[in-house]
Amino acid sequence: DDVDLEIALCGAYNQWMGKVWQASNNRIRWVVVPPLHSVNATLKEMEQGKENGAVGIFFRGVEGDRSLADPYFFPIYAQAEKLNLAVCVHTGAGAPGITKVFDRAFSHNLPHVRSLPMFAFRDIVAHQVPEKFPSLRFGFIEASASWIPFVLHHMQRSLRGVNIGTSNPSQSIALGPELFKNYRLFIAAETDEDLPYLLQYIGEDNIVVGSDYGHEDQSRETGIVDIMRNRQDLAPSTIKKILGANPCRLYDI
């Protein structure tokens, strides 16, 4: 809650990553960490980040006591759209009120860390935020992808009569790849998920994967490229999209 400290910390990190990008000769791209208590400072960090190799902006699934569908964030989304930066919704304990309820000894990190991008997805889609920013891309990162069918089913039941992500007037919410295509939603899956099943909902053009490189915990997926290429339940063309073309579209690389 110390706004000046948050601005200083985010600025230091973003400057450091800009130097890493320069030293890598454009090979290492990165995502701006915004001081979200200050919209003006965030807009400034985004401009500087874009000039120094950034391809997106970092959010947790809930930020403080705000949903990501809150209009408070709309100037930031507008700036991201203008600068061609993806909005990257990552896992993270972004809501102290939620964190306070749970004890890791019982719940590990599922309720206050891993599940928050699921809340953001529901709110962003249900409130049709992508329609307000028609070229903005959204990525949901490191929260796996198996929750997608559940959340879509929930929204289908709770949002009857609201046309979301579909051009079909008789359909209330697009439950398949049409939603992800029309709303520019990208989902990061894990290599051991049932990807053929998830492709029915997400489509082959909006799934990406991540290695969590640098982590030394159970979330790190070493050898991710070989694991994906050796899967026998996916077409080689689909695997190629997941490993290359889709993340290139998400981050406009």
Side-chain angles (χ1 to χ4, degrees), residues 142 210-223:
E142 206 189 16
S211 66
D212 210 1
Y213 180 76
H215 281 211
E216 296 297 337
D217 59 21
Q218 66 273 18
S219 64
R220 181 175 178 181
E221 300 218 51
T222 57

Side-chain angles (χ1 to χ4, degrees), residues 1-20:
D1 292 326
D2 186 330
V3 178
D4 291 337
L5 178 59
E6 183 187 36
I7 292 171
L9 288 171
C10 292
Y13 173 83
N14 295 331
Q15 290 175 32
W16 174 68
M17 282 306 303
K19 293 177 181 177
V20 169

Side-chain angles (χ1 to χ4, degrees), residues 101-159:
V101 175
F102 296 98
D103 184 339
R104 279 186 64 96
F106 293 109
S107 305
H108 197 252
N109 66 7
L110 178 65
H112 67 289
V113 174
R114 287 277 285 190
S115 65
L116 298 195
M118 179 174 68
F119 304 157
F121 178 92
R122 185 269 166 201
D123 289 357
I124 287 170
V125 172
H127 292 273
Q128 301 168 286
V129 174
E131 295 184 18
K132 297 177 175 65
F133 307 96
S135 64
L136 185 59
R137 303 177 303 280
F138 296 84
F140 297 84
I141 312 299
E142 206 189 16
S144 74
S146 295
W147 50 268
I148 288 291
F150 163 69
V151 173
L152 291 180
H153 176 73
H154 167 75
M155 287 195 292
Q156 182 187 33
R157 291 175 63 88
S158 63
L159 296 170

Side-chain angles (χ1 to χ4, degrees), residues 150-216:
F150 163 69
V151 173
L152 291 180
H153 176 73
H154 167 75
M155 287 195 292
Q156 182 187 33
R157 291 175 63 88
S158 63
L159 296 170
R160 289 190 178 104
V162 182
N163 294 105
I164 293 175
T166 176
S167 55
N168 183 352
S170 65
Q171 186 179 23
S172 61
I173 179 171
L175 290 181
E178 182 185 20
L179 173 68
F180 295 84
K181 177 183 177 181
N182 291 345
Y183 273 13
R184 304 162 306 281
L185 308 170
F186 293 80
I187 309 298
E190 294 175 338
T191 59
D192 56 355
E193 292 189 87
D194 188 348
L195 295 181
Y197 170 68
L198 294 174
L199 283 169
Q200 299 175 55
Y201 291 87
I202 303 170
E204 65 178 14
D205 294 322
N206 291 78
I207 294 181
V208 300
V209 291
S211 66
D212 210 1
Y213 180 76
H215 281 211
E216 296 297 337

